[in-house]
Amino acid sequence: MAVTFYDLSSASGLKKLDEYLLSRSYITGYQASKDDLTVYAALPTAPSAEYVNVSRWFKHIDALLRISGVSGEGSGVTVKGSFVAEPVATPPAADTKASIFLMIDISIAAAAAEDDDDDDVDLFGEETEEEKKAAEERAAAVKASGKKKESGKSSVLLDVKPWDDETDMKKLEEAVRSVSMEGLLWGASKLVPVGYGIKKLQVMLTIVDDLVSVDTLIEEHLTVEPINEYVQSCDIVAFNKIYGRVCFVDLSKYILEKIH
């Protein structure tokens, strides 16, 4: 089904085209075609940055015309009431090659009028030293961006319960904090009354997810000898993933509320 656009020299016409290109890369189909050439030719000037989608599309088609040309057939498009004197329909298949070369000539001529330096551009010549250096810098940037990202972190709130009211809670906490491993950081703590004179230790810790398992920490470190002389059991009260600085601040507020 042919697509029709109206008055592409006006703000309203450009707005309609911009909305149309919001979810599309080309006028029709999934590759540049004669339909793109038709609309491209109907625009009196390069669209302003105000029309984000049209501007993106225009620059892309302009670049294709300069480098490789456009050969897709398209589905058919018509432009009415615009800069073009008569409605522009998709040219017949026999005229495709001629239309492509015509558009390339128009595009290069327009660029030359805007910047006299374009006359010195050799699109198919050997790379200059500046171009080689720029390519090397882009390759280095891509390589740097491909580095492994830092592993995620989590904040955990543990309840550590003693055997009875005679357990030395100071030594219990010292025993708990004596556990050390890569990716584990102990945080704030407090004693919370449970009942009958018994208190439990509530302690915060931050872990690197790829390095520390909380279940392993409890089962293989906190509830085995010699720490189990003081620790009867451990429970996970809260487990929160840390997503960036904002969530970390929110979690810090949560911790302060819990402790105080």
Side-chain angles (χ1 to χ4, degrees):
M1 180 177 180
V3 181
T4 302
F5 296 102
Y6 297 90
D7 198 10
L8 294 183
S9 61
S10 69
S12 60
L14 284 173
K15 184 177 180 181
K16 289 290 186 182
L17 179 59
D18 193 66
E19 293 173 353
Y20 178 82
L21 289 170
L22 176 63
S23 59
R24 297 174 175 85
S25 297
Y26 303 102
I27 298 300
T28 58
Y30 299 97
Q31 64 176 347
S33 67
K34 293 184 297 182
D35 296 343
D36 293 281
L37 297 181
T38 300
V39 178
Y40 179 94
L43 292 170
T45 60
S48 69
E50 175 186 356
Y51 305 101
V52 178
N53 303 306
V54 178
S55 180
R56 163 185 55 76
W57 166 84
F58 184 91
K59 291 177 181 177
H60 179 57
I61 299 302
D62 188 67
L64 289 178
L65 290 174
R66 291 170 182 269
I67 299 172
S68 61
V70 175
S71 59
E73 286 298 318
S75 303
V77 64
T78 302
V79 182
K80 296 182 178 180
S82 66
F83 172 74
V84 181
E86 296 180 358
V88 179
T90 301
D95 297 335
T96 298
K97 187 174 294 185
S99 299
I100 292 172
F101 287 119
L102 175 61
M103 290 305 304
I104 292 176
D105 290 340
I106 293 173
S107 176
I108 294 177
E114 295 178 0
D115 189 352
D116 292 338
D117 292 338
D118 286 352
D119 293 336
D120 300 327
V121 176
D122 184 2
L123 295 178
F124 302 99
E126 295 183 357
E127 284 186 324
T128 64
E129 289 299 324
E130 291 77 6
E131 290 172 336
K132 290 181 179 178
K133 184 178 180 181
E136 290 173 357
E137 291 176 351
R138 288 195 297 271
V142 171
K143 184 177 181 181
S145 66
K147 291 182 179 179
K148 184 177 180 180
K149 296 182 180 179
E150 182 182 352
S151 176
K153 296 181 180 180
S154 298
S155 181
V156 185
L157 180 63
L158 282 184
D159 269 356
V160 183
K161 299 174 183 177
W163 288 102
D164 51 39
D165 60 341
E166 295 182 358
T167 301
D168 188 328
M169 296 303 293
K170 183 177 180 180
K171 290 184 178 180
L172 179 147
E173 182 170 357
E174 290 175 354
V176 169
R177 291 182 180 275
S178 70
V179 177
S180 177
M181 62 179 67
E182 184 181 1
L184 169 64
L185 177 65
W186 293 104
S189 63
K190 68 174 180 176
L191 295 177
V192 179
V194 177
Y196 303 102
I198 300 176
K199 294 182 179 180
K200 65 181 178 181
L201 175 69
Q202 201 165 73
V203 59
M204 291 296 308
L205 57 143
T206 301
I207 61 171
V208 176
D209 297 333
D210 289 347
L211 300 177
V212 180
S213 163
V214 180
D215 290 337
T216 301
L217 173 66
I218 294 173
E219 295 171 4
E220 298 182 8
H221 296 276
L222 297 179
T223 55
V224 298
E225 294 181 351
I227 299 178
N228 65 355
E229 178 182 349
Y230 307 100
V231 177
Q232 186 267 332
S233 65
C234 292
D235 295 313
I236 300 173
V237 178
F239 193 110
N240 299 279
K241 299 287 290 182
I242 298 175
Y243 296 103
R245 185 172 299 176
V246 174
C247 289
F248 182 77
V249 171
D250 292 341
L251 186 57
S252 298
K253 292 180 180 179
Y254 171 80
I255 294 170
L256 290 175
E257 291 173 359
K258 283 288 183 180
I259 294 177
H260 299 293

